[in-house]
Amino acid sequence: MRCTNDDEMEPLSLEASSRQVSRDTVTVEIVYSVVTGAIIAALLFFVIASPAFIWDLSSGFHSVVMGLAATFSAAGFVYQVISVLVQLKRATK
């Protein structure tokens, strides 16, 4: 049987709990940034590509509109993820 002193274990337990809370916070922020980034990307794609879906465009113009929609939606996703993670880094300092 191993004898331990509960008073000696308490600071370690609080420190471990604090680290777990910190990891949970980072995980939640990462998921938040990815989900909101995906929503922003979908909205940007829909807004930019909607003329190609609504009107009968020539194939060349249709390709340009779809390319722009894909580019802007990807850029919106990356911007959202990076901005949320930078805000998290600033908040943890």
Side-chain angles (χ1 to χ4, degrees), residues 11-88:
L12 180 61
S13 176
L14 288 175
E15 182 179 322
S17 176
S18 175
R19 280 185 279 160
Q20 182 63 39
V21 167
S22 177
R23 283 193 303 260
D24 289 347
T25 301
V26 170
T27 302
V28 167
E29 289 295 323
I30 289 170
V31 170
Y32 170 77
S33 69
V34 170
V35 169
T36 57
I39 291 169
I40 288 171
L43 289 173
L44 281 172
F45 186 85
F46 176 74
V47 167
I48 296 170
S50 61
F53 297 131
I54 295 172
W55 297 302
D56 186 26
L57 303 176
S58 66
S59 66
F61 192 63
H62 183 272
S63 297
V64 168
V65 169
M66 296 305 276
L68 286 173
T71 301
F72 279 102
S73 64
F77 175 81
V78 170
Y79 175 78
Q80 177 65 14
V81 170
I82 290 173
S83 66
V84 169
L85 296 179
V86 166
Q87 288 175 1
L88 173 65

